[in-house]
Amino acid sequence: MTRYLSTNRVDAPERGRLRVFCFPYAGGGASAYARWQRGLDAHGAGVEVLPVQLPGREGRASEPRFTDLDALVDDLDAQLDDELDEPHAFYGHSMGALIAYALAHRRQRRGAALPEALVLSSYRAPHLPAPHIAAPDASDEELLASLADLGGIPSVLLNHPDFLSALLPVARDDLLLCTGNAASVDTEPIQVPMYLFAGKRDRLVSVAEVVTWRRHAGRGCEVRTMPGGHFFIRAHEDTLLSELASVLRRHRAVPALAGALSA
């Protein structure tokens, strides 16, 4: 079992069942997707949800974090390679969208198995500058204020110093990962159907900026707008899961050759 996936998985995956690898946003961990298996089951998605746990957070808190995207993607590719032999899809929110795209692109370049679908939310395409959340030298107070304003920190946790002291170093390193060396802008489009989700009231990444991923879509893409801001993934989780289930049902039993989406 790779350390990127939960050791709590008991049942062997059902052969041929679409596996959905979920990559977290900056400062987040695998727990962001803790309710997704039950939620997607309720919407009839018929998939296996596999939250990806990056080092340096939650159950891997003692491990050094990556601040270099290429190094992280190299490690993910090596560690998840066997897990990606079965039909699968990638979902990534914010920073997770960048990671999911970069991993898919790396696997395309080396001729490895690709996702049946690439679902990206609340992030700009990699040919644009990374979204600006806070300056690299921002104080803890400034960074917390920026994250809270975006909805990245539930208000109930703002009065828990232990939580905040653990969150801030993770968030700072994740922001470095996003801005230090964004995914290589390759002229070759990704040969995977792409689905884009954008928050209607997202003040960090606009709907128009999310749409710029079309430039990198080699097999077409669809754009879906969601209620709420940057963290609609949490504030409107059930609405998102309903939409996501409708996407995943298209691909859950399709051998890697689904017809191209309308551009």
Side-chain angles (χ1 to χ4, degrees):
M1 170 62 66
T2 169
R3 63 189 186 277
Y4 280 102
L5 300 178
S6 172
T7 58
N8 295 326
R9 290 166 63 203
V10 176
D11 299 327
E14 180 182 334
R15 187 164 183 80
R17 192 182 192 197
L18 188 71
R19 315 173 85 186
V20 184
F21 292 80
C22 300
F23 298 87
Y25 45 79
S31 64
Y33 302 106
R35 296 186 297 271
W36 278 36
Q37 184 67 67
R38 180 177 297 178
L40 285 171
D41 285 349
H43 289 289
V47 300
E48 180 187 11
V49 177
L50 296 175
V52 175
Q53 185 65 282
L54 302 182
R57 66 208 73 209
E58 296 180 347
R60 301 182 66 185
S62 63
E63 300 178 39
R65 289 180 290 276
F66 284 93
T67 57
D68 180 276
L69 180 63
D70 289 336
L72 171 60
V73 169
D74 285 348
D75 198 49
L76 282 165
D77 190 29
Q79 293 293 325
L80 294 176
D81 194 35
D82 289 344
E83 300 283 349
L84 298 175
D85 281 343
E86 297 293 329
H88 63 278
F90 288 166
Y91 174 86
H93 184 79
S94 197
M95 177 188 77
L98 179 64
I99 295 171
Y101 163 79
L103 177 57
H105 220 304
R106 187 191 193 286
R107 293 179 63 79
Q108 177 171 285
R109 288 198 303 270
R110 72 177 184 87
L114 294 177
E116 304 290 341
L118 186 59
V119 187
L120 310 175
S121 63
S122 295
Y123 206 79
R124 298 171 181 168
H127 64 276
L128 298 178
H132 177 76
I133 294 177
D137 59 350
S139 67
D140 286 353
E141 292 74 17
E142 290 169 332
L143 180 55
L144 282 173
S146 296
L147 292 172
D149 186 55
L150 288 171
I153 305 176
S155 57
V156 68
L157 295 177
L158 289 174
N159 294 320
H160 290 262
D162 289 345
F163 167 81
L164 298 177
S165 64
L167 167 68
L168 285 172
V170 178
R172 288 188 187 279
D173 282 351
D174 286 352
L175 294 179
L176 282 176
L177 184 142
C178 291
T179 60
N181 67 328
S184 300
V185 181
D186 200 306
T187 56
E188 181 185 12
I190 193 79
Q191 297 302 314
V192 175
M194 189 179 291
Y195 299 86
L196 310 174
F197 285 77
K200 293 179 181 178
R201 299 194 301 276
D202 191 338
R203 299 191 303 276
L204 182 65
V205 182
S206 69
V207 174
E209 288 171 328
V210 172
V211 171
T212 60
W213 282 99
R214 286 184 183 275
R215 172 171 168 175
H216 302 272
R219 292 190 56 199
C221 72
E222 290 183 5
V223 181
R224 301 190 181 202
T225 55
M226 299 293 298
H230 191 69
F231 282 95
F232 63 78
I233 185 176
R234 186 162 55 227
H236 299 277
E237 184 178 72
D238 190 62
T239 301
L240 170 61
L241 293 181
S242 175
E243 292 287 327
L244 184 57
S246 72
V247 166
L248 297 174
R249 282 194 295 269
R250 301 184 190 181
H251 299 279
R252 63 184 179 185
V254 180
L257 187 62
L261 300 168
S262 59

